[in-house]
């Protein structure tokens, strides 16, 4: 499974760079400034957590742990809900989609906490 976290991290990093480029070039003249900022925030957090998935996979090769799988799933769900809702909000202008974003943020927080606990236990 650890190899899959690295692969998913790399794929999500690719998607994040693609989204960032799309936002910076294709959407620059089409979206109002406030929606561009929202889109960019989605892409930035997408990248952070893509790198987090790579970290999950790499630590898992050193010290496999069910906590790491939990961290990976939490980050992946966070990417989908946090970044996905921001992308959808920016592209559609439907502001109610912003209500989903904090749920994704909780996924991010859970993922980093699980990664920290797994890393702590791996060194103990």
């Amino acid at each position: 499974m650890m190899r899959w976290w690295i692969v998913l991290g790399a794929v999500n990093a690719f998607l994040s760079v693609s989204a960032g480029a799309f936002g910076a070039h294709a959407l620059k003249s089409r979206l109002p400034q406030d929606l561009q900022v929202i889109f960019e925030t989605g892409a930035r957090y997408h990248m952070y957590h893509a790198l987090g998935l790579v970290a999950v996979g790499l630590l898992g090769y050193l010290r496999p742990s069910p906590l790491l799988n939990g961290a990976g799933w939490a980050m992946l769900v966070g990417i989908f809900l946090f970044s996905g809702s921001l992308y959808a909000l920016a592209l559609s202008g439907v502001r109610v989609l912003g209500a989903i974003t904090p749920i994704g943020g909780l996924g991010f927080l859970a993922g980093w906490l699980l990664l920290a606990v797994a890393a702590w236990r791996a060194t103990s």
Side-chain angles (χ1 to χ4, degrees):
M1 185 68 190
M2 293 309 140
R3 173 178 53 186
W4 282 108
W5 292 125
I6 296 171
V7 169
L8 287 169
V11 167
N12 273 282
F14 173 88
L15 293 172
S16 172
V17 171
S18 299
F22 178 69
H25 300 290
L27 297 179
K28 193 147 188 105
S29 63
R30 296 188 176 144
L31 289 181
Q33 180 64 30
D34 65 322
L35 294 179
Q36 287 178 34
V37 170
I38 289 170
F39 194 91
E40 290 168 7
T41 299
R44 186 171 59 252
Y45 278 80
H46 193 166
M47 178 57 81
Y48 294 156
H49 293 86
L51 296 173
L53 290 173
V54 172
V56 164
L58 292 175
L59 184 58
Y61 272 119
L62 298 173
R63 294 285 186 128
S65 166
L67 291 171
L68 291 171
N69 281 324
W73 283 113
M75 286 186 193
L76 197 59
V77 168
I79 289 170
F80 181 76
L81 293 177
F82 185 93
S83 295
S85 67
L86 292 181
Y87 294 148
L89 187 161
L91 293 172
S92 71
V94 177
R95 300 274 179 181
V96 73
L97 290 168
I100 299 168
T101 308
I103 299 167
L106 290 173
F108 288 158
L109 291 169
W112 288 112
L113 183 61
L114 289 168
L115 179 57
V117 172
W120 179 263
R121 289 186 178 175
T123 60
S124 299

